[in-house]
């Protein structure tokens, strides 16, 4: 186990890349109902205390966290979206996450973008968060079957937990910069120098007839021809 983050350290070459359904059913649902998780890959944080770039993990990697939602006002239902030096702003509408086996909605997904500063005057950043929550009470995601001889109580939800996937969006200019060194030279820009050419009396360069004359094949040191077929005439350059 890694002491700094408390997260499972995966072997080199392995990546934690679950689907939306797996995040909701295998991780978030188990977290909400206080059941054992498949692994200790996702840890708990208080998202309101951090800027996204200060979270554990590399900036080029996707990071996953459990966050216990807090109400913005004591008597309201709106969540507190303040975090670090800015706030998370929702973009678009929530999207349902359906079970691939039964087609039923098991969770909801909302996309957020991080802004530095205060609301209405904040500066947009490249940091993005996908927030996952369980579906409503009518969804099978809110019912966790109790196994026989189980020592864990998996029948009562334990807090308003959400699962967050946070990453830094790569700008188009960065992508262009990465591929700039891979540009190929157009064929019409490539010039070939004929080292076998001859110079005419007027100083112009004449291509060698070896480009079209098969008699210019040279012999190798063992006396055989360098080509697939030998020619009866010996090259004048041999």
């Amino acid at each position: 186990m890694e002491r700094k983050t408390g997260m499972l350290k995966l072997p080199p070459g392995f990546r934690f890349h679950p689907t939306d359904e797996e995040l909701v059913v295998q991780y978030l649902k188990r977290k909400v109902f206080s059941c054992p998780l498949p692994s200790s890959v996702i840890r708990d944080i208080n998202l309101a205390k951090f800027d996204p770039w200060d979270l554990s993990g590399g900036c080029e990697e996707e990071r996953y966290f459990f966050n216990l939602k807090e109400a913005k006002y004591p008597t309201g239902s709106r969540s507190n979206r303040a975090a670090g030096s800015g706030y998370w702003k929702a973009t678009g509408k929530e999207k349902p996450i359906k079970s691939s086996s039964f087609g039923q909605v098991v969770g909801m997904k909302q996309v957020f973008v991080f802004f530095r500063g205060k609301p209405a005057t904040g500066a947009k950043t490249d940091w993005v968060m996908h927030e996952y929550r369980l579906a409503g009470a009518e969804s099978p995601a809110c019912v966790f079957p109790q196994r026989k001889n189980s020592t864990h109580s998996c029948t009562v939800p334990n807090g308003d937990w959400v699962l967050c996937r946070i990453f830094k969006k790569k700008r188009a200019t960065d992508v262009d910069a990465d591929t700039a060194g891979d540009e190929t030279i157009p064929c019409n820009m490539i010039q070939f120098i004929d080292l076998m050419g001859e110079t005419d009396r007027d100083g112009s360069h004449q291509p060698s007839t070896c480009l079209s004359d098969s008699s210019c094949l040279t012999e190798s040191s063992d006396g055989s021809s360098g080509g697939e077929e030998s020619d009866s005439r010996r090259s004048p350059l041999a």
Side-chain angles (χ1 to χ4, degrees), residues 22 29 50 75 84-86 96 105 120-121 124 130 132 135 139 143 147 152 165 177 198 204 224 232 234:
E22 290 170 340
K29 182 177 179 180
F50 297 93
T75 58
S85 62
V105 176
T121 59
K124 185 178 180 180
H130 294 172
Y132 301 85
S139 171
V143 179
R147 294 183 178 181
H152 297 277
R165 172 193 281 156
E198 299 178 354
S204 60
S224 61
S232 60
R234 183 178 177 84

Side-chain angles (χ1 to χ4, degrees), residues 143-161:
V143 179
F144 210 109
Q146 181 73 32
R147 294 183 178 181
K148 293 182 179 180
N149 302 325
S150 175
T151 59
H152 297 277
S153 177
C154 301
T155 57
V156 181
N158 179 27
D160 192 8
W161 288 97

Side-chain angles (χ1 to χ4, degrees), residues 100-111:
S100 57
S101 301
F102 306 101
Q104 297 174 318
V105 176
V106 294
M108 302 296 291
K109 174 182 177 180
Q110 177 73 62
V111 179

Side-chain angles (χ1 to χ4, degrees), residues 182-223:
D182 298 333
E183 293 181 357
T184 57
I185 303 175
C187 294
N188 58 359
M189 296 296 293
I190 301 177
Q191 296 181 354
F192 297 93
I193 301 176
D194 184 10
L195 299 179
M196 303 295 291
E198 299 178 354
T199 303
D200 204 351
R201 293 181 180 179
D202 58 359
S204 60
H205 190 74
Q206 298 295 333
S208 171
T209 55
C210 293
L211 297 177
S212 58
D213 191 350
S214 61
S215 64
C216 290
L217 294 174
T218 59
E219 294 182 352
S220 60
S221 58
D222 59 357

Side-chain angles (χ1 to χ4, degrees), residues 10-23:
L10 300 176
F14 284 80
R15 298 291 182 268
F16 182 67
H17 193 65
T19 63
D20 290 349
E21 180 186 355
E22 290 170 340
L23 286 175

